[in-house]
Amino acid sequence: MGDTLLALSIPVLVLASGIYAAGESWWRRRYPAPPSPYTHQAARLAERAMLVDAERIVAGAYETVGALYDGPSAPGAHIPATGVTPGAAASQGPGRSAPAPARRG
């Protein structure tokens, strides 16, 4: 009797596996799984969103410090430094400055 049950359990297992596979296939056709977040389309959308964020960050930074990169508007003009006063030992021309005296002590 034990051998008969063992011999019949194999076809029953195969039949049950086939019924399960058919049922799962029918279920997946009727109720498909949501798309995977790891598809090429999701990667392209994420890349596009990252580029939009980077463009927004660069545009904001350029609005903040854009005047430093635009350069002077006229050939002889320069952008004045705010809050800087020349000291007594500063050179007057564009050439080299006089060397500073050595400090002792």
Side-chain angles (χ1 to χ4, degrees):
M1 183 75 177
D3 292 337
T4 307
L5 288 178
L6 181 63
L8 291 177
S9 68
I10 294 173
V12 169
L13 181 65
V14 170
L15 180 67
S17 298
I19 291 172
Y20 175 79
E24 185 181 10
S25 172
W26 172 82
W27 182 262
R28 283 292 165 211
R29 284 189 189 134
R30 190 138 193 212
Y31 304 103
S36 173
Y38 303 108
T39 60
H40 290 288
Q41 181 182 6
R44 283 193 306 268
L45 291 174
E47 182 181 6
R48 191 173 299 146
M50 182 179 61
L51 286 175
V52 168
D53 290 342
E55 287 175 357
R56 188 169 15 98
I57 290 170
V58 169
Y62 187 77
E63 287 176 8
T64 305
V65 294
L68 297 175
Y69 293 105
D70 287 339
S73 55
H78 68 280
I79 300 172
T82 58
V84 177
T85 58
S91 61
Q92 301 299 321
R96 292 186 62 174
S97 299
R103 290 187 181 179
R104 295 187 183 184

Short mmCIF file of all heavy atoms in Angstrom, two decimals, residues 24-36:
data_model
loop_
_atom_site.label_atom_id
_atom_site.label_comp_id
_atom_site.label_asym_id
_atom_site.label_seq_id
_atom_site.Cartn_x
_atom_site.Cartn_y
_atom_site.Cartn_z
N GLU A 24 -2.17 30.51 -12.33
CA GLU A 24 -1.34 31.71 -12.18
C GLU A 24 -1.20 32.45 -13.51
O GLU A 24 -1.25 33.68 -13.55
CB GLU A 24 0.04 31.33 -11.66
CG GLU A 24 0.89 32.55 -11.37
CD GLU A 24 2.28 32.18 -10.86
OE1 GLU A 24 2.65 30.99 -10.91
OE2 GLU A 24 2.97 33.10 -10.43
N SER A 25 -1.06 31.73 -14.60
CA SER A 25 -0.98 32.36 -15.91
C SER A 25 -2.27 33.12 -16.23
O SER A 25 -2.24 34.25 -16.72
CB SER A 25 -0.71 31.29 -16.97
OG SER A 25 -0.81 31.83 -18.25
N TRP A 26 -3.41 32.49 -15.95
CA TRP A 26 -4.69 33.16 -16.19
C TRP A 26 -4.81 34.41 -15.33
O TRP A 26 -5.26 35.46 -15.78
CB TRP A 26 -5.83 32.18 -15.89
CG TRP A 26 -7.18 32.82 -15.93
CD1 TRP A 26 -7.93 33.08 -17.03
CD2 TRP A 26 -7.92 33.31 -14.81
NE1 TRP A 26 -9.10 33.70 -16.67
CE2 TRP A 26 -9.12 33.85 -15.30
CE3 TRP A 26 -7.69 33.34 -13.44
CZ2 TRP A 26 -10.08 34.41 -14.48
CZ3 TRP A 26 -8.65 33.90 -12.63
CH2 TRP A 26 -9.82 34.43 -13.15
N TRP A 27 -4.40 34.30 -14.05
CA TRP A 27 -4.49 35.43 -13.14
C TRP A 27 -3.61 36.59 -13.60
O TRP A 27 -4.01 37.74 -13.56
CB TRP A 27 -4.10 34.98 -11.73
CG TRP A 27 -4.23 36.07 -10.71
CD1 TRP A 27 -3.24 36.87 -10.24
CD2 TRP A 27 -5.42 36.49 -10.06
NE1 TRP A 27 -3.73 37.76 -9.34
CE2 TRP A 27 -5.09 37.55 -9.20
CE3 TRP A 27 -6.75 36.08 -10.12
CZ2 TRP A 27 -6.01 38.19 -8.40
CZ3 TRP A 27 -7.66 36.72 -9.31
CH2 TRP A 27 -7.30 37.76 -8.47
N ARG A 28 -2.39 36.29 -14.04
CA ARG A 28 -1.48 37.35 -14.49
C ARG A 28 -1.96 38.02 -15.77
O ARG A 28 -1.70 39.19 -15.98
CB ARG A 28 -0.07 36.79 -14.71
CG ARG A 28 0.66 36.57 -13.45
CD ARG A 28 0.98 37.90 -12.79
NE ARG A 28 1.36 37.71 -11.42
CZ ARG A 28 1.13 38.57 -10.46
NH1 ARG A 28 0.50 39.68 -10.71
NH2 ARG A 28 1.52 38.33 -9.25
N ARG A 29 -2.64 37.27 -16.63
CA ARG A 29 -3.20 37.90 -17.83
C ARG A 29 -4.35 38.82 -17.47
O ARG A 29 -4.55 39.86 -18.09
CB ARG A 29 -3.67 36.83 -18.81
CG ARG A 29 -2.55 36.17 -19.53
CD ARG A 29 -3.05 35.29 -20.64
NE ARG A 29 -1.95 34.51 -21.18
CZ ARG A 29 -2.01 33.22 -21.42
NH1 ARG A 29 -3.11 32.56 -21.19
NH2 ARG A 29 -0.97 32.61 -21.91
N ARG A 30 -5.11 38.41 -16.48
CA ARG A 30 -6.27 39.21 -16.10
C ARG A 30 -5.88 40.40 -15.24
O ARG A 30 -6.44 41.48 -15.38
CB ARG A 30 -7.23 38.30 -15.33
CG ARG A 30 -8.54 38.92 -15.08
CD ARG A 30 -9.63 37.94 -15.29
NE ARG A 30 -10.87 38.70 -15.33
CZ ARG A 30 -12.00 38.24 -14.91
NH1 ARG A 30 -12.08 37.01 -14.48
NH2 ARG A 30 -13.07 38.98 -14.95
N TYR A 31 -4.94 40.22 -14.33
CA TYR A 31 -4.48 41.27 -13.43
C TYR A 31 -2.96 41.39 -13.55
O TYR A 31 -2.22 40.84 -12.74
CB TYR A 31 -4.85 40.94 -11.98
CG TYR A 31 -6.31 40.70 -11.78
CD1 TYR A 31 -6.81 39.41 -11.63
CD2 TYR A 31 -7.21 41.75 -11.75
CE1 TYR A 31 -8.15 39.18 -11.46
CE2 TYR A 31 -8.56 41.52 -11.57
CZ TYR A 31 -9.02 40.23 -11.43
OH TYR A 31 -10.36 40.00 -11.26
N PRO A 32 -2.48 42.13 -14.55
CA PRO A 32 -1.02 42.21 -14.73
C PRO A 32 -0.35 42.98 -13.58
O PRO A 32 -0.95 43.84 -12.95
CB PRO A 32 -0.85 42.95 -16.05
CG PRO A 32 -2.13 43.70 -16.24
CD PRO A 32 -3.20 42.89 -15.55
N ALA A 33 0.91 42.64 -13.34
CA ALA A 33 1.68 43.30 -12.29
C ALA A 33 2.03 44.72 -12.73
O ALA A 33 2.11 45.01 -13.91
CB ALA A 33 2.96 42.51 -12.02
N PRO A 34 2.18 45.62 -11.79
CA PRO A 34 2.58 46.98 -12.16
C PRO A 34 3.97 46.97 -12.80
O PRO A 34 4.75 46.06 -12.55
CB PRO A 34 2.59 47.73 -10.83
CG PRO A 34 2.71 46.69 -9.79
CD PRO A 34 2.05 45.45 -10.35
N PRO A 35 4.27 47.97 -13.61
CA PRO A 35 5.58 47.97 -14.26
C PRO A 35 6.71 48.10 -13.25
O PRO A 35 6.58 48.76 -12.23
CB PRO A 35 5.52 49.19 -15.19
CG PRO A 35 4.44 50.04 -14.65
CD PRO A 35 3.46 49.12 -13.98
N SER A 36 7.80 47.47 -13.56
CA SER A 36 8.96 47.48 -12.67
C SER A 36 9.64 48.84 -12.69
O SER A 36 9.74 49.48 -13.74
CB SER A 36 9.95 46.40 -13.13
OG SER A 36 11.14 46.50 -12.39
#
